[in-house]
Amino acid sequence: MKYDQSQQLLERSKKVIPGGISSNVRALWNPHPLFYDHGQGSHVWDVDGNEYIDYVLGRGPLLLGHTPAPVIEAMKAQLDRGMHYAGQTAIEVDAAEKFCELVPCADLVRFSSTGSEAVHAALRVARAHTGRNKILRFEGHYHGWFDNIAWNFAPKVDGEPRYLPKKQPTTQGQPEEDGANILVLPWNDLELVKKLFDEHGSEIAGVITEPVMCNNGSILPLPGFLEGLRDLCTHHGSVLIFDEVITGFRLSLGGAQEKLGVTPDLATFAKAMGGGTIVSAVAGKADIMDRFGSLTANHSGTYNANPVAAAGVKAALDFIADNGGAELRKAHETAKILMEGLSAIATTTSLPLTVRGLPPVFHVSFVPEGGDPIVDYRSLQQTDKEIGAKFWAGLQERGVRTVPEGLWFVSTAHTEEDADKTLSVVREVLREIEA
Ligand code: PLP
């Protein structure tokens, strides 16, 4: 692969855009941030003409692949009628009806533009509803980049107690006071959550969790963990919030809450729900969501439910849900071929390759044998990041593009042929690393 054009663009970009990139995570690329030219279906091309089978999929939004015709047609039709009115539209009601039909917890839904905003709205309405301020969040979960929730996403855990470890900001510029109402625990340890509720239950407005910890290792909840959170929140009058920004409409039509059979009070969505449009949502039980309706909790935003995004949502949800969810099933089947293929390859290599998660989003990492089972952020630290980085770079050099942290997203546009080609690239890269 040659990256000359990307490199030139990066130099130009650095003169007008800090670091030459518009989101800090894009810095983590090899050999430097790349520039892309176009995408089609499951493939994407960079400005140097390098072609990749794309498992990054915009970091999640492109569940239908690049340039999905039904979404683009619906958005184009709306663009011709106007981009934004800052008023209500019929298409947003269509999108909301479809959304509420699919998502178990969604009596009502409000649309915004980004996942971070949806989380912000969920925390606010949970606090408004309970009249309490404290929010429990878990180590290693990602809920967006806003100051009052971006704590302990990638903390140093050496020497930290498991019960209420030190609060660690994600970035410079994040005031300590913004973490004052955050409580942190390791994930998947129900006993610790019980202890916390015993001691502070009457102060806890809500518990926010990714139902599957996709942002750090695609770790599944242990049996009974989500159910335990559900019971504790019900018992103590706290709001259970699932952050389904990644899992929503992906693990099943009704998201992780449907797949795992636990219904939260509120849930946040973005990414897949719009098939690539810029959109997010907070949804949940009527008595909580009605605090927005009664104007007692504020939820605002110039671009909320703009009709172009709403048209995209309606088209994307129809596409995956039509014919009993046949298209989503296809993405699951292709992801299973990949997951099973990777697991089979793992038995043939000396490298400790592991695959974790639920289709169609899973995590590939290298876990030295003999360690503890991976159940949370702390146990995930035993993965061999050096081999992981070589593996990721080797895939990219051979035209297979995955998220640097090891996450793979699979779309309805990926084919068995893509999967077969990917698996043979994986074999080659592992052989190269072994050598
Ligand atoms: N919540 C989860 C689970 C996410 O994965 C993300 C982004 O990756 C967010 C929230 C924040 O979404 P956004 O980047 O659209 O603000």
Side-chain angles (χ1 to χ4, degrees):
M1 297 275 189
K2 281 203 166 30
Y3 306 112
D4 302 352
Q5 301 291 326
S6 264
Q7 199 187 351
Q8 280 173 28
L9 273 168
L10 183 63
E11 291 315 313
R12 246 180 80 198
S13 180
K14 277 181 180 165
K15 293 188 179 132
V16 282
I17 299 172
I21 48 169
S22 299
S23 174
N24 281 13
V25 288
R26 293 182 202 161
L28 308 169
W29 213 267
N30 177 58
H32 48 70
L34 298 186
F35 287 69
Y36 296 88
D37 183 67
H38 64 286
Q40 185 68 52
S42 56
H43 288 227
V44 69
W45 286 259
D46 69 21
V47 289
D48 286 279
N50 301 312
E51 178 178 350
Y52 308 88
I53 304 175
D54 191 11
Y55 298 103
V56 177
L57 297 178
R59 282 191 172 253
L62 304 178
L63 177 60
L64 283 56
H66 291 267
T67 58
V71 175
I72 292 193
E73 276 160 27
M75 289 172 72
K76 275 189 181 156
Q78 179 56 45
L79 278 168
D80 287 340
R81 302 165 63 85
M83 294 167 84
H84 194 33
Y85 318 113
Q88 296 306 114
T89 60
I91 187 70
E92 119 184 37
V93 183
D94 292 342
E97 283 172 353
K98 189 73 198 175
F99 186 107
C100 291
E101 180 192 314
L102 294 176
V103 176
C105 81
D107 297 334
L108 296 169
V109 59
R110 276 280 184 102
F111 295 121
S112 291
S113 300
T114 67
S116 298
E117 281 175 276
V119 168
H120 194 59
L123 300 182
R124 174 171 293 170
V125 79
R127 286 173 166 144
H129 184 69
T130 55
R132 306 171 184 170
N133 283 335
K134 302 255 184 256
I135 298 288
L136 168 61
R137 58 150 296 147
F138 297 100
E139 277 175 355
H141 288 227
Y142 184 64
H143 302 297
W145 66 292
F146 290 176
D147 285 349
N148 66 350
I149 191 66
W151 294 84
N152 295 59
F153 165 57
K156 293 192 176 62
V157 286
D158 275 357
E160 282 299 323
R162 286 182 66 76
Y163 186 63
L164 296 177
K166 184 174 75 214
K167 277 178 262 184
Q168 298 180 39
T170 307
T171 170
Q172 285 185 8
Q174 208 179 337
E176 209 180 309
E177 305 86 78
D178 279 341
N181 284 312
I182 294 294
L183 300 162
V184 180
L185 289 179
W187 199 51
N188 256 337
D189 190 336
L190 197 57
E191 287 311 310
L192 291 183
V193 184
K194 279 186 188 149
K195 179 172 156 68
L196 187 73
F197 267 99
D198 282 345
E199 291 173 10
H200 298 279
S202 62
E203 300 161 60
I204 298 175
V207 176
I208 186 164
T209 181
E210 290 185 65
V212 174
M213 188 160 94
C214 291
N215 276 295
N216 254 311
S218 253
I219 301 173
L220 295 179
L222 289 172
F225 181 70
L226 294 181
E227 291 82 353
L229 294 185
R230 175 65 283 172
D231 290 347
L232 284 167
C233 284
T234 304
H235 182 73
H236 290 271
S238 306
V239 176
L240 180 62
I241 307 165
F242 280 2
D243 185 344
E244 296 233 38
V245 164
I246 289 184
T247 53
F249 303 102
R250 181 175 268 116
L251 296 197
S252 77
L253 291 172
Q257 53 192 276
E258 180 183 64
K259 179 92 187 167
L260 303 174
V262 179
T263 306
D265 300 303
L266 291 177
T268 51
F269 295 81
K271 304 206 189 233
M273 68 179 274
T277 48
I278 299 161
V279 71
S280 65
V282 54
K285 304 233 167 100
D287 57 336
I288 307 177
M289 291 294 291
D290 257 336
R291 298 204 175 248
F292 293 136
S294 63
L295 314 186
T296 50
N298 182 35
H299 171 240
S300 301
T302 301
Y303 298 107
N304 285 1
N306 81 80
V308 182
V313 170
K314 174 74 168 92
L317 296 187
D318 281 346
F319 183 78
I320 55 165
D322 280 356
N323 304 317
E327 285 294 333
L328 186 60
R329 257 198 314 281
K330 194 174 144 220
H332 280 229
E333 275 154 23
T334 315
K336 270 189 217 149
I337 296 175
L338 283 162
M339 291 175 78
E340 285 166 14
L342 285 158
S343 299
I345 292 171
T347 64
T348 66
T349 169
S350 63
L351 299 168
L353 177 75
T354 61
V355 188
R356 204 176 311 99
L358 291 173
V361 54
F362 56 88
H363 192 258
V364 181
S365 57
F366 295 86
V367 187
E369 272 170 37
D372 294 333
I374 293 189
V375 294
D376 59 12
Y377 172 80
R378 294 190 185 207
S379 43
L380 188 71
Q381 301 317 303
Q382 61 193 301
T383 58
D384 189 326
K385 295 201 174 66
E386 208 175 305
I387 305 180
K390 280 187 193 156
F391 180 63
W392 171 74
L395 294 179
Q396 184 200 304
E397 281 295 312
R398 289 168 182 77
V400 173
R401 182 175 183 251
T402 63
V403 175
E405 298 90 335
L407 205 58
W408 295 44
F409 290 97
V410 181
S411 74
T412 60
H414 283 89
T415 60
E416 268 189 62
E417 196 189 332
D418 289 328
D420 290 345
K421 180 154 183 233
T422 301
L423 291 172
S424 60
V425 167
V426 166
R427 281 185 211 99
E428 244 181 76
V429 174
L430 292 174
R431 274 199 298 273
E432 187 182 84
I433 300 174
E434 275 177 320

